[in-house]
Amino acid sequence: MDNFLEDVWRGLNATPKHLDSKYFYDDAGDAIFREIMDCPEYYLTNCELEIFKEQSSGLAASILARLHDFDVVELGAGDCTKSIYLLSELLKQKGAVTFCPVDISPGVIASLSDQLPDKLPGIHLQCLN
């Protein structure tokens, strides 16, 4: 709690005033961000999702033609809705993958640690926050 108090004090006494974004990513903040990503105006997620859905097989084949044992690091992993397509394909094509999701939200990282091993059997997982 001391860091929170110091961060708020520093931010509210700064010019311009600010609060560190890490404080917005509790359970409520995570839910709000998921709602934002579902808005039609937030088209980026849908574009990325389309690419991963349609191109993961070819991407995995290209990667595995050069590398067999490697790490995938995803900054701002969120719920891995998009990356799970590529990771699934890499595993299907027999890649030895260590997945390192990185996210500012401790709740998201905890959720990934619990859920990804079931969704992606055989994946090596190293969650970071």
Side-chain angles (χ1 to χ4, degrees):
M1 191 61 147
D2 290 335
N3 287 340
F4 176 71
L5 179 61
E6 290 172 21
D7 291 344
V8 170
W9 182 258
R10 191 177 321 109
L12 294 179
N13 284 293
T15 304
K17 295 181 183 331
H18 69 276
L19 290 174
D20 291 343
S21 60
K22 66 184 175 184
Y23 295 117
F24 301 127
Y25 289 95
D26 57 6
D27 290 342
D30 292 342
I32 290 168
F33 189 67
R34 281 192 299 277
E35 287 180 34
I36 291 169
M37 289 187 336
D38 286 340
C39 292
E41 298 83 4
Y42 199 83
Y43 68 92
L44 185 60
T45 299
N46 291 331
C47 293
E48 292 172 338
L49 185 57
E50 180 181 342
I51 291 167
F52 278 108
K53 280 182 176 179
E54 295 182 12
Q55 303 298 325
S56 285
S57 179
L59 289 168
S62 294
I63 293 167
L64 294 174
R66 292 166 185 81
L67 302 168
H68 177 69
D69 186 3
F70 60 96
D71 299 341
V72 174
V73 178
E74 183 174 11
L75 304 177
D79 62 3
C80 294
T81 299
K82 299 170 286 197
S83 54
I84 204 160
Y85 288 97
L86 178 60
L87 295 168
S88 296
E89 195 60 42
L90 287 165
L91 291 169
K92 181 178 165 185
Q93 294 183 30
K94 307 296 185 219
V97 180
T98 298
F99 180 50
C100 304
V102 179
D103 203 280
I104 194 170
S105 170
V108 164
I109 292 299
S111 177
L112 292 176
S113 295
D114 290 341
Q115 295 175 8
L116 283 182
D118 292 334
K119 290 183 179 179
L120 298 167
I123 192 106
H124 300 280
L125 190 58
Q126 244 181 359
C127 295
L128 305 170
N129 131 298

